[in-house]
Amino acid sequence: MGVTKTANFTDAQNELAVMLKALAHPARIAIIEHLIKANECIGSDLVDLLGLAQPTISQHLRELKDVGIIKGKIEGTSMCYCINNKTWSKYRTLLASFFVEVNCDDSCC
């Protein structure tokens, strides 16, 4: 398998691909949905909520944190997570610019 030539694509295309890759797991979608509803939560609470092992939850949180969708802060011996509003707004705009209105009737293809 060859190396992806990201230089062949725009910054917006590369950024959208990275963001969508981070979202491309149902557990990560569930984590984000929970954080939107709860505003913030302790990482260990997600273990009970999603029924996944702690290392698995940690891996998913790391993926989301690496692209900036969530952020965390230490509270005692736990890590508290929430949506990173700045990145969230940026990704909302980027995704909205991708999902434009398509003018093609059902007879296409």
Side-chain angles (χ1 to χ4, degrees), residues 1-10 13-15 17-18 21:
M1 182 180 243
V3 176
T4 302
K5 297 182 179 181
T6 56
N8 292 348
F9 307 101
T10 67
Q13 290 167 333
N14 283 308
E15 192 168 10
V18 168
K21 183 178 178 186

Side-chain angles (χ1 to χ4, degrees), residues 20-57:
L20 290 173
K21 183 178 178 186
L23 294 176
H25 194 286
R28 295 182 203 141
I29 299 294
I31 289 168
I32 291 170
E33 287 176 341
H34 179 71
L35 289 174
I36 289 169
K37 289 178 191 171
N39 222 14
E40 64 180 25
C41 80
I42 302 298
S44 59
D45 293 345
L46 295 168
V47 172
D48 295 330
L49 179 74
L50 300 178
L52 299 173
Q54 180 66 50
T56 304
I57 294 292

Side-chain angles (χ1 to χ4, degrees), residues 57-74:
I57 294 292
S58 294
Q59 181 180 356
H60 289 306
L61 289 168
R62 188 175 341 106
E63 290 286 335
L64 293 171
K65 197 171 178 189
D66 285 349
V67 296
I69 293 173
I70 65 170
K71 58 185 179 178
K73 64 181 177 186
I74 297 172

Side-chain angles (χ1 to χ4, degrees), residues 25-26 40 43 46-47 54 69 78-82 99 105:
H25 194 286
E40 64 180 25
L46 295 168
V47 172
Q54 180 66 50
I69 293 173
S78 301
M79 191 74 154
C80 183
Y81 294 94
C82 64
F99 281 107
D105 60 29

